[in-house]
Amino acid sequence: MPVRHTTTLGFAALALLTVPACSTDTAGAKPAAVSSTQAGPSARAAQNTAPLSSAALKTRQLVESDLGNGYLRKPERSARHDDVTVVGCPALNELGGDAATGGSLTFPRQAKVTFTYTEGSNSVVTEELYSDSAGKLSESIGRIFDAMTGCPTYQVVAGGTAIDMATQKLTAPHQFGDEQWSQLLTFSTGGQNTVVKQTAIRDGSVLLIVSNSPALVDRHLDKALAKATAAS
């Protein structure tokens, strides 16, 4: 049974549901995935347990000079509210559609930035930082990722647009942080496909999510984590 839920489209990858999908060459990409792996405690974990403020998180975000030449910061867009209907995925239905739209990521301490890469027409990378207790971060992001990949295919209707979704788990980069999740998402609508990679890493009281263009996520993940978890 479809579940209709009105919420803010906040999860970076799924914010694409509110804009026209771009054609993407998906020959080398498989429909998406998520994997959660718990590593041993990081060296900084004991010293990084107190939540950071939003202002502190902003100082730990990537900037153009961290990424190199050819990157432009995109202006922040105002939050958009749409009716969202999830069809064909019981795991998402149990969450009332929140997992499909990122509505559960409502941590008060957060910062977000998106960059476009001028050498690729569809090259975008988004960084999200959140801070709270380790337990709250782990439960919330794990719940969302598990729900999003609870079904290999499902459909989301957002703002009157129907999007076919495909998901599949990826191996998480277990050498980083305390917990890790990673996935590919394939959005299909109007005969066009958009492939998005999403990797989340929790290190102590900081949660990092890097998403959008798969190549750019892989290229900049380590830089984003190093800056996000650097000692003050």
Side-chain angles (χ1 to χ4, degrees):
M1 177 180 178
V3 171
R4 181 171 293 277
H5 184 71
T6 302
T7 188
T8 301
L9 298 181
F11 218 23
L14 291 170
L16 294 176
L17 296 176
T18 66
V19 298
C22 299
S23 295
T24 303
D25 182 3
T26 61
K30 297 180 180 179
V34 173
S35 173
S36 175
T37 305
Q38 181 148 5
S42 71
R44 296 178 298 274
Q47 301 173 345
N48 192 26
T49 56
L52 301 174
S53 66
S54 295
L57 291 175
K58 287 182 181 296
T59 67
R60 300 184 179 209
Q61 285 183 309
L62 293 171
V63 296
E64 289 94 331
S65 59
D66 296 321
L67 301 176
N69 295 329
Y71 288 89
L72 297 175
R73 180 169 180 157
K74 293 183 66 175
E76 292 186 18
R77 300 174 62 183
S78 58
R80 176 172 176 172
H81 297 267
D82 281 308
D83 286 338
V84 175
T85 302
V86 180
V87 182
C89 185
L92 288 176
N93 287 348
E94 291 178 3
L95 296 183
D98 280 0
T101 63
S104 292
L105 281 178
T106 55
F107 296 109
R109 305 176 185 91
Q110 59 177 275
K112 178 180 176 180
V113 63
T114 298
F115 300 92
T116 57
Y117 186 45
T118 57
E119 294 185 14
S121 59
N122 195 38
S123 296
V124 179
V125 61
T126 297
E127 178 192 27
E128 295 171 88
L129 290 176
Y130 300 91
S131 189
D132 210 315
S133 70
K136 289 181 179 179
L137 293 175
S138 178
E139 191 279 333
S140 184
I141 191 65
R143 178 169 171 259
I144 291 174
F145 267 66
D146 287 346
M148 289 171 68
T149 55
C151 308
T153 61
Y154 57 94
Q155 187 178 72
V156 172
V157 180
T161 300
I163 301 97
D164 293 323
M165 303 291 300
T167 65
Q168 177 189 342
K169 292 183 179 181
L170 292 179
T171 300
H174 57 81
Q175 72 272 29
F176 296 134
D178 300 310
E179 290 184 286
Q180 315 81 21
W181 300 259
S182 189
Q183 68 177 340
L184 282 175
L185 301 169
T186 299
F187 302 78
S188 301
T189 184
Q192 297 179 316
N193 293 336
T194 297
V195 177
V196 168
K197 184 171 185 178
Q198 213 172 38
T199 298
I201 299 173
R202 182 190 65 79
D203 189 285
S205 61
V206 173
L207 175 66
L208 165 71
I209 302 173
V210 182
S211 57
N212 280 312
S213 173
L216 297 187
V217 171
D218 292 342
R219 184 183 304 173
H220 299 300
L221 179 64
D222 56 345
K223 299 176 190 175
L225 182 64
K227 190 168 184 179
T229 58
S232 302

